[in-house]
Amino acid sequence: MTTLPYTFRQEILNIKPYVPGKPIDEVKRELGLTDIIKMASNENPLGPSPKAKQAIVEAVEKLHIYPDGYCFELRRAVAEKVQVDDNQLIFGNGSDEIIKLLAETFLQPGDQVLTGSPSFSEYDYATHLMGGEMVKIPLKNNRFPLEKIAESISSKTKLIFICNPNNPTGTCVSAEEVDRFIAQVPDSVVVIFDEAYNEYVEDENYPDTLKYIKDGKKNVIVLRTFSKIYALASLRIGYGVASPDLIALVSRTREPFNVNSMAQFAAVAALQDREHLELSRKVNSKGKTFLYQAFEDMNLNYIPTEANFIMVDTGKDSKLLFQKMLRKGVIVRTGDIFGMDTYLRVTIGTMEQNQRFIKALKECLEEM
Ligand SMILES: Cc1ncc(COP(=O)(O)O)c(C=O)c1O
């Protein structure tokens, strides 16, 4: 780095820039393509509920008014949905923001954070932002290694992030495993269950982590988002569920108007549209079956998923393959950013998108 005329917090040098899915418009500009599909950021290919879109149209008239910092209507709707009290919720500018607020609340320089690897990169960002030390424990059979994580807890451990289903593997830990894990974690360590993809899960052994909170545990927080199945990613809204004490503490670090009003209105409307939710689930489930079959026909190994994305082992350099796929107008994610160099992570799309993805993948692999 060039010499700078000011001093700054050296901790931030540990932050690696986030690698986002390549935006459609960027590919259009760079490659001069017009017909592009993005299957890179685990977005819902159906888009938001028509009810959510209508709510935004109506809310446009109130753009000059500050948003409700308490998210009153949304708080009520989510409290009803997850069956907790109003004071057990915190809303964020995406669940990303809540991850950051948790780090700001709990981490001093040198404090330790535990998670599995590979997993969601925002845990690293938030930890390093506060000068914390990230301890990553390799996944076991592509699943979060809860036993190893529990064994790794030390007096320096402050936070544990459990991504369930895990991004990027799509795998889940079971209710029994989580029960055993929670029994081993001291109350002084806060456990964060990041359940961004929970609505897609089909596995019957998926844990009901809210039960720990309802049973009075003060060191558990569950994060959910409206970015994935509810398809409101661009509005940035997510929430956390925890004990009133934990919520009150973390809320001290929250900015007063962190969730915009479009997001609040749209999220309330989205929650009311059960049909759209069910349709989104169905499209994902069907797409998953289609892609599994296609991978099997191509003799490609994949990691069975409980989310809306699949890691597939193409046996080729994922960066080269990614570039080739781009030229065919298909944006996916390379596995190298997760240390899985021959894998692609593909978001399950509409059937038309899935078919186009498989066609492009076959053509590219033949060329390589
Ligand atoms: C596991 C996981 N948690 C959280 C998020 C962030 O979601 P949000 O859009 O609510 O910030 C993502 C987004 O990709 C994710 O994969």
Side-chain angles (χ1 to χ4, degrees), residues 37-47 200 279-291 295 307-310 330-332 345-358:
I37 53 171
K38 181 172 172 228
M39 301 169 81
S41 300
N42 309 336
E43 293 143 342
N44 180 344
L46 301 183
Y200 288 110
L279 180 63
S280 303
R281 256 194 213 126
K282 238 181 239 163
V283 166
N284 194 67
S285 186
K286 275 195 180 157
K288 176 157 71 169
T289 308
F290 169 82
L291 289 171
F295 294 148
N308 65 341
F309 51 85
I310 308 179
V330 180
I331 313 175
V332 289
R345 193 192 69 191
V346 58
T347 303
I348 300 169
T350 59
M351 202 46 92
E352 204 185 336
Q353 291 173 336
N354 296 330
Q355 283 163 347
R356 182 164 161 199
F357 160 73
I358 290 294

Side-chain angles (χ1 to χ4, degrees), residues 94-96 99 120 123 163 167 194 196-197 225 227-228 236-238:
S95 47
D96 279 351
I99 292 169
F120 187 45
Y123 314 147
C163 191
N167 178 5
D194 181 348
Y197 302 95
T225 181
S227 297
K228 304 301 174 182
R236 312 301 303 125
I237 177 154

Side-chain angles (χ1 to χ4, degrees), residues 316-324 334-336 341 344:
K316 304 285 182 198
D317 178 331
S318 65
K319 284 202 254 186
L320 284 179
L321 183 54
F322 169 81
Q323 290 299 338
K324 278 186 175 293
T334 57
D336 66 308
D341 292 354
L344 288 184

